[in-house]
Amino acid sequence: VLEPDLPAFLSSVEGVVGATHVLTDPEVRAGHETDWTRRFVGRTPAVLRPGSVGEVQALVLLARRHQVSLVPQGGNTGLVGGATPLGGEVVLDLRRLDDLGPVDGPAGQVTVGAGVTLTALQDHAASAGLSFAVDLGARDTATVGGLVATNAGGLHVVRFGSMRAQVLGVEAVLGTGEVVRSNLTGLVKDNTGYDLPGLLCGSEGTLGVITSARVRLVPGVGPLLGALVGFASVTAAVEALPVLRSAPGLRALELMRAVDLRLVAGHLGIEPPLTPLPPAVVLLELEGPNDLVGALGAVLEALGPAVVASAVADGDRLAGLWRWREALPEVAAALGIVHKADVSLPVGALAAFEAAVETTIRAHSPSSTTLVYGHLGDGNLHVNVVGPGAADDGPVDAVLELVLELGGSVSAEHGVGRAKVAWAARQRGEVATTMLRAIKQALDPDGILNPGVVVG
Ligand code: FAD
Ligand code: 2HG
Ligand code: ZN
């Protein structure tokens, strides 16, 4: 058995990436050692910034030779501690892999580097009259590598699916040091065996370092119309789902609660978006070419008295409606260290979950503040708990227990990271966990890629 030899590894890496891309300054490292929530704080001896797949491969081979563990990192916006070097690993910052390939118009696809930000990818697609289907609040910072590695969801899953539905091909350096290139030509139909791009989606840096991805693009965004639709309760909003879902051109179906919107109003120093503010507010967004005003009117009419208030908007005013939804994670973060449960539930259990979740949390942490919001159309709620100390997992554990009782998932879209390893194992069961471990062992036999993440 080889012993880890960090000094030997570090003395070789300059020869691969050049001295300017080996960052050891404590202040620079600090930004890579803590996650967005500030709940996960690790330490790293160095941050390495490779600029090509060849450099990534050379670093992984060196890491393997010297038995040094690596944590791949993109924008560091992940919310489950998956990109934090909690065990003193070396950080691989992949943001220099920022090539934007030419948009393949006839195929409606593009190949981009792992370090490209979501905004850059969206802008690139838009310059060719197309768009990229995934969108989320961290768009300016989150990278394609991170989005693939976490199988990110976001705001348009109800229309286009998650990241896995967009990824046709990937290039990655496996834990063995080998480079795998799978379907980078973007074949839509390719049944030659196991789906390797799909496997790397959601692998959270534990199987390979993603260096580029071939992704599907969708038609350019047409005219948009949005609305805040108020309901007397979350139960009423859930009961309205069949009608809300049938809205023509539906591309977002988000849930917010009055109690949390009041926190946003206080934080932003503005008046709540509806007066009086209904207990549950759904943000609905529709995309043309059809008569959106008529379509939205028909939806509101079909819902009848279930709708207790509504506000319709397009253009800048629609962006204003989105501000309410996108501010929620920021507001939670401004209140303190946030414990997050990103959960999905069978639609039939959503309202029962929401009704029980605060009591469940208060039983463990009576003075905590809880925010609940999320992607209603996907059955995905984000429970944010502020108050318990950074190491106090009690309240979130109780939430996840409730989720499993109700037949839900302990991670809907953020991944497992280091935060949810035991819970994910419990949810998937022994046979599936053994299968995941076998895959990990095959692709990263020395366990040098993101140890402790996903399968522990
Ligand atoms: P990082 O945080 O750097 O890494 C995340 C994981 O991916 C880690 O396990 C890391 O090791 C791995 N990784 C990163 N790059 C690579 C690579 N090149 N190869 C292999 N592994 C890699 N998520 C959603 O799903 N939906 C949302 O709506 C959403 N909204 C958000 C809003 C805010 C304000 C914030 C802060 C986060 C939000 N997120 C959301 C979470 C986060 O943005 C996503 O998980 C995103 O995909 C992470 O991308 P990143 O580049 O920041 O990855
Ligand atoms: C969102 O939907 C993100 O806003 C973040 O997934 C969720 O902060 C959260 O809990
Ligand atoms: Zn989300």
Side-chain angles (χ1 to χ4, degrees), residues 240-253:
L241 271 174
V243 177
L244 294 169
R245 238 192 259 288
S246 71
L250 179 71
R251 71 169 208 155
L253 210 177

Side-chain angles (χ1 to χ4, degrees), residues 36 71-79 82-83 94 114 135-138 141-155 204-206 208-211 325-326 329-330 375 382 413-414 417 450 453:
W36 192 85
V71 171
Q73 201 176 84
N76 198 16
T77 66
L79 299 171
L94 298 152
D135 192 24
L136 44 83
T141 316
T143 63
V144 167
L147 295 163
V148 176
T150 59
N151 183 28
L155 307 169
E204 298 184 52
T206 62
V209 181
I210 294 152
T211 48
R325 170 62 182 84
E326 294 199 352
E330 292 166 28
H375 313 290
H382 295 304
E413 58 172 9
H414 295 165
N450 241 355
V453 169

